[in-house]
Amino acid sequence: MLTSFDIRLLNRVQKNFPVCHDPFALIADELAQPKQKVIERLAELKKEGFIRRLGGVLNHKKVGESSLAALKVPSQKLTQVSDMVSQFEEVNHNYLREHEYNLWFVVTAANQEKLEQVLSEIEATSKCALLVLPMLKDYYIDLAFEL
Amino acid sequence: MSSILNRVELEKRIIELTQAGLPIESRPFKTIADKLGISESAVVAIFDSMKQKGLVRRIGLVPNHYAIGYLFNLMTVWDIEDSDIDQVGKSIGELDFVSHCYQRPRHLPDWPYNFFAMIHGKTEQEANEKMQQIADLVKDSCSQFTALKSCKILKKTGLRI
């Protein structure tokens, strides 16, 4: 179970991780806790799966080309098609969703040509209707939100 | 000339090394620096500049929302009047329960929605209430909307390059 300290800690470290020699000392000061406690608890939260990772969240638009896409997969083919999609290393998210278009995934590639190649291959192999939904504009302030 | 090339190469190596995450220990940037054979100050400076340039959106932890109890993520999709999209996008982007929101193309007739907003809630009811808040906010510009509940995560990895 997460304690209220854990939530405070997670909220603090979600954004503006100090980029300096001793970032955890600064965070510990802000939270009025010993540095060792902050480090140990974060390491535990990582180990227990509450934290995916600590690091830079890359801006997809600047490091390669990516697109959200969706397939309309008949239920009897769902396992087969979803496995096929997940096997592409260019696919970094793959979700089942409740809709006629039921398989939703994100493809990221080094360039537009490679991106289109992966999408056509997925479309041809699955023989399912494909929606390609690249981001036209983003409007959110930050990925982090208050827990 | 060569220093510019080195810089780009270094940024790439730093991104690779931190892809799995910065180590959670006393001097996280020193660990990266040692692996690259450069100074800790240099790594700190490069990280800072990648942030300035917008290559890195932010630095921080990426929580596992499911594990923390946000079990209901709703991908909500909206059919917004094209002329209103900027104004609507900005107001939805400011809501604290929206983690991402984007304008995306329509594919008529199958897909009339041109705006996506990801909502997180601890219960299904909470997530639905939040969707209704958005619906109230955009009622003059929106002709239809729906939510696509996720039923299963099949694959989720950090962005690889």
Side-chain angles (χ1 to χ4, degrees), chain A residues 83-92 118 121-122, chain B residues 155:
Chain A
D83 286 352
M84 181 273 289
V85 170
S86 288
Q87 271 166 19
F88 280 88
E89 61 174 31
E90 290 85 358
V91 170
N92 44 16
V118 171
E121 210 175 315
I122 288 174
Chain B
K155 184 178 183 183

Side-chain angles (χ1 to χ4, degrees), chain B residues 91-143:
Chain B
S91 40
I92 295 179
E94 281 171 9
L95 298 170
D96 61 5
F97 53 83
V98 171
S99 63
H100 326 31
C101 56
Y102 304 108
Q103 182 193 0
R104 299 188 187 276
R106 296 186 177 90
H107 287 262
L108 297 170
D110 260 23
W111 190 257
Y113 308 104
N114 60 344
F115 193 83
F116 282 60
M118 191 62 75
I119 297 175
H120 300 266
K122 290 188 174 171
T123 62
E124 188 167 10
Q125 192 193 346
E126 188 187 310
N128 284 327
E129 282 167 9
K130 288 171 173 172
M131 177 166 66
Q132 196 51 51
Q133 271 186 53
I134 297 182
D136 294 341
L137 189 71
V138 303
K139 62 179 186 305
D140 296 332
S141 314
C142 175
S143 38

Side-chain angles (χ1 to χ4, degrees), chain A residues 6-15 145-147:
Chain A
D6 293 337
I7 298 289
R8 273 209 306 150
L9 186 59
L10 289 169
N11 276 332
R12 172 57 191 89
V13 188
Q14 266 200 88
K15 303 187 221 191
F145 76 105
E146 198 74 4
L147 295 171

Side-chain angles (χ1 to χ4, degrees), chain B residues 53-69:
Chain B
K53 284 190 287 188
L55 208 59
V56 171
R57 197 185 263 288
R58 69 185 166 92
I59 297 170
L61 66 82
V62 180
N64 182 340
H65 295 121
Y66 284 86
I68 293 168

Side-chain angles (χ1 to χ4, degrees), chain A residues 13-54:
Chain A
V13 188
Q14 266 200 88
K15 303 187 221 191
N16 296 323
F17 185 75
V19 180
C20 63
H21 293 252
D22 202 353
F24 294 108
L26 284 181
I27 291 167
D29 276 356
E30 278 179 35
L31 299 174
Q33 298 289 332
K35 180 173 112 180
Q36 209 44 42
K37 183 179 170 191
V38 165
I39 293 178
E40 274 167 21
R41 190 59 193 142
L42 281 173
E44 278 167 15
L45 290 170
K46 172 107 199 291
K47 202 171 154 209
E48 290 163 13
F50 292 106
I51 295 174
R52 287 191 197 278
R53 64 190 189 91
L54 170 68

Side-chain angles (χ1 to χ4, degrees), chain A residues 14 21 35 50 52-55 57 59 86 92 94 96-97 101 132-133 136-139 142, chain B residues 22 26 40 55 57-58 60-62 64-65 70 86 103-104 107 110 148 151-152 154-155 157:
Chain A
Q14 266 200 88
H21 293 252
K35 180 173 112 180
F50 292 106
R52 287 191 197 278
R53 64 190 189 91
L54 170 68
V57 176
N59 188 339
S86 288
N92 44 16
N94 190 15
L96 277 185
R97 293 192 179 275
Y101 282 88
V132 179
L133 301 164
L136 299 179
K137 189 161 179 192
D138 67 354
Y139 288 98
D142 194 286
Chain B
L22 282 171
S26 192
E40 185 183 13
L55 208 59
R57 197 185 263 288
R58 69 185 166 92
L61 66 82
V62 180
N64 182 340
H65 295 121
Y70 287 84
D86 259 338
Q103 182 193 0
R104 299 188 187 276
H107 287 262
D110 260 23
L148 282 75
C151 18
K152 199 173 178 190
L154 303 164
K155 184 178 183 183
T157 54

